[in-house]
């Protein structure tokens, strides 16, 4: 197992290189960019400034052929200054090589539009996303795994039928609708005002005692986490149920029962170890989903400044350093979690040996 772990660790830099290269290439081919974004703002600010340039200067600017959309009527000197500011005055391969060298030491550069480094922005936003992701994933597993096992054991009975109704609702309704529902009923939207509407902590959080800070934190995070749990437990519940049903119907279970073992011994001594493998395999993807894609709308609805919202804002404004910085962090985190998942495989079932497959 040590050789397998060592090989996987060596593959992480190569995988990150491939991810960064593909996305860097896509960014170069995609229309729009920080220069075009700034030019659009510039032209918007000067819509009414028709008399600020002479006619001769205006003709010169319009005759300047550039590669940027919306550059007509903009001084060529300004375009060159923007290219230098955003680093586009250098060839693509030079920019990519510099990015790789900087990323090797976790230097992600500075945001185009915020007076902060990307690392500062990530550090500031990380606690929000980690809080949402970890609590949501933990609670989802604590609910979905026991529920899925129970549904498998009592397959076709009344318990399985009425819980399936709740699972169907959880899988059919989008997460953001649950979030809006919780706000309307419990955050002062229309009815009750039991929970705060925005933020992860109160304005006076620094003045609170330790116990007060803990209470205030859970008071703020309850509704966002609840919305993510309701929207995420359905698929894991059905995955657990189907995995256990598949194992329960295998011949080795009949053999174990014929030897006089109790249902509890059969279920947790034999079935559990095999059935949980596929559930464990889904942990990294679920955690990444909760950290980024799953929490994006929740962060917007509850005004939580997390990494999901940071990445979304960066894409909308073409803030390339933030886009690539968050992409690098999530890719690295995903690769590490996948390695942890494989290690957990071996801990759950020692018969699995990944080195034989190398």
């Amino acid at each position: 197992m040590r050789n397998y772990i060592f090989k996987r660790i060596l593959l992480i830099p190569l995988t990150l290189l491939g991810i960064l290269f593909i996305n860097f290439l896509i960014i170069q081919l995609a229309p729009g960019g920080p220069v075009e974004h700034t030019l659009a703002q510039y032209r918007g600010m000067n819509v009414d400034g028709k008399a600020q340039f002479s006619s001769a200067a205006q003709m010169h600017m319009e005759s300047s052929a550039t590669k940027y959309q919306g550059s007509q009527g903009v001084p060529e000197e300004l375009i060159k200054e923007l290219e230098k500011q955003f680093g586009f005055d250098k060839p693509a391969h030079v920019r990519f090589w510099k990015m790789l060298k900087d990323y090797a030491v976790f230097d992600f550069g500075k945001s185009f539009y915020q007076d902060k480094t990307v690392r500062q922005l990530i550090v500031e936003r990380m606690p929000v996303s980690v809080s949402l992701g970890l609590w949501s994933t933990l609670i989802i597993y604590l609910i979905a795994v026991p529920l899925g096992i129970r549904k498998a054991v009592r397959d076709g009975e009344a318990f399985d039928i009425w819980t399936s109704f709740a699972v169907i609702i959880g899988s059919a309704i989008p997460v953001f609708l649950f979030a809006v529902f919780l706000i309307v009923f419990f955050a002062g939207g229309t009815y009750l005002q039991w929970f705060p509407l925005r933020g992860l902590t109160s304005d006076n959080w620094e003045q609170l005692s330790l116990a007060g800070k803990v209470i205030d934190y859970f008071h703020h995070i309850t509704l966002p986490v609840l919305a993510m749990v309701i929207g995420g437990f359905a698929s894991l519940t059905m995955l657990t149920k189907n995995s256990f049903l598949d194992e329960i119907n295998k011949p080795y279970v009949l053999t174990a029962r014929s030897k006089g073992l109790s249902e509890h011994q059969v279920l947790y001594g034999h079935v559990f170890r095999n059935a949980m493998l596929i559930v464990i395999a889904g942990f990294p993807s679920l955690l990444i989903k909760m950290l980024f894609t799953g929490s994006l709308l929740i962060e917007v609805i509850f005004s939580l400044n997390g990494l999901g919202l940071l990445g979304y804002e960066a894409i909308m404004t073409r803030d390339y350093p933030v886009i690539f910085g968050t992409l690098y962090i999530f890719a690295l985190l995903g690769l590490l979690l996948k390695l942890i998942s494989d290690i957990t495989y071996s801990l759950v079932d020692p018969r699995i040996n990944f080195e034989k497959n190398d």
Side-chain angles (χ1 to χ4, degrees):
M1 189 64 184
R2 285 182 296 180
N3 292 334
Y4 173 77
I5 295 175
F6 181 71
K7 292 178 182 178
R8 287 293 300 274
I9 292 176
L10 289 180
L11 284 174
I12 288 178
L14 295 177
T15 306
L16 288 173
L17 175 62
I19 293 173
L20 290 175
F21 176 75
I22 293 174
N23 283 274
F24 185 85
L25 185 62
I26 293 174
I27 288 294
Q28 304 309 306
L29 299 177
V35 175
E36 285 92 336
H37 181 79
T38 306
L39 287 174
Q41 291 181 327
Y42 177 86
R43 291 177 63 86
M45 289 189 302
N46 291 281
V47 169
D48 298 325
K50 297 179 180 179
Q52 56 184 309
F53 299 112
S54 66
S55 59
Q58 187 75 16
M59 291 175 60
H60 170 73
M61 290 181 290
E62 291 179 356
S63 64
S64 299
T66 67
K67 58 185 176 180
Y68 300 110
Q69 296 181 1
S71 60
Q72 186 177 10
V74 178
E76 188 174 355
E77 293 76 11
L78 175 61
I79 295 176
K80 291 182 179 180
E81 183 65 28
L82 290 175
E83 287 181 331
K84 183 177 180 180
Q85 176 183 341
F86 295 127
F88 287 93
D89 57 329
K90 301 180 179 66
H93 69 277
V94 175
R95 288 185 278 121
F96 182 69
W97 176 246
K98 181 179 184 303
M99 184 178 70
L100 292 182
K101 291 192 295 184
D102 292 339
Y103 279 29
V105 293
F106 291 90
D107 181 7
F108 305 122
K110 191 174 182 179
S111 169
F112 285 161
Y113 307 109
Q114 303 185 55
D115 190 23
K116 293 182 180 179
T117 64
V118 177
R119 190 160 53 186
Q120 287 176 322
L121 291 173
I122 292 176
V123 170
E124 289 177 0
R125 304 289 187 97
M126 182 71 78
V128 175
S129 295
V130 170
S131 295
L132 290 176
L134 288 181
W135 282 115
S136 300
T137 304
L138 176 62
I139 296 175
I140 285 174
Y141 266 81
L142 290 176
I143 294 175
V145 172
L147 180 59
I149 296 173
R150 188 67 172 173
K151 286 175 65 64
V153 173
R154 303 184 64 175
D155 183 44
E157 299 181 8
F159 175 83
D160 180 41
I161 294 173
W162 69 261
T163 52
S164 294
F165 178 72
V167 170
I168 291 173
I169 293 178
S171 60
I173 302 179
V175 175
F176 73 90
L177 286 183
F178 279 120
V180 173
F181 172 83
L182 293 174
I183 289 175
V184 170
F185 280 88
F186 301 107
T190 303
Y191 300 96
L192 304 174
Q193 195 170 359
W194 291 352
F195 298 94
L197 180 60
R198 60 181 66 243
L200 196 62
T201 57
S202 299
D203 295 335
N204 64 335
W205 192 79
E206 293 293 340
Q207 286 73 44
L208 298 175
S209 63
L210 178 59
K213 289 180 179 179
V214 172
I215 295 174
D216 183 74
Y217 167 77
F218 283 106
H219 189 216
H220 280 76
I221 206 172
T222 297
L223 291 188
V225 169
L226 182 58
M228 295 177 66
V229 168
I230 293 175
F233 86 101
S235 58
L236 184 61
T237 299
M238 297 309 300
L239 176 66
T240 305
K241 176 189 175 181
N242 294 332
S243 178
F244 272 80
L245 280 177
D246 184 58
E247 293 295 327
I248 288 174
N249 295 323
K250 288 184 177 179
Y252 76 89
V253 176
L254 298 176
T255 302
R257 287 171 176 167
S258 66
K259 292 181 179 180
L261 297 179
S262 66
E263 285 298 314
H264 185 273
Q265 290 175 319
V266 171
L267 183 63
Y268 293 100
H270 295 76
V271 175
F272 184 84
R273 182 175 60 183
N274 296 323
M276 283 299 293
L277 290 176
I278 191 173
V279 178
I280 294 172
F283 178 82
S285 59
L286 177 62
L287 182 56
I288 289 296
K289 177 183 177 182
M290 293 295 105
L291 284 173
F292 187 66
T293 57
S295 64
L296 172 58
L297 290 176
I298 298 299
E299 291 177 6
V300 173
I301 293 173
F302 289 96
S303 300
L304 301 174
N305 291 323
L307 287 178
L309 184 58
L310 176 65
Y312 174 77
E313 292 173 345
I315 292 173
M316 292 297 100
T317 59
R318 303 297 195 271
D319 196 344
Y320 289 165
V322 177
I323 293 175
F324 283 108
T326 53
L327 172 67
Y328 183 85
I329 291 297
F330 278 107
L332 178 60
L333 182 60
L335 293 171
L336 292 176
L337 287 174
K338 185 63 175 67
L339 177 59
I340 294 173
S341 175
D342 290 344
I343 296 174
T344 309
Y345 262 138
S346 297
L347 295 177
V348 174
D349 190 348
R351 296 172 299 175
I352 295 179
N353 188 351
F354 289 100
E355 294 183 3
K356 292 182 180 179
N357 299 324
D358 291 347

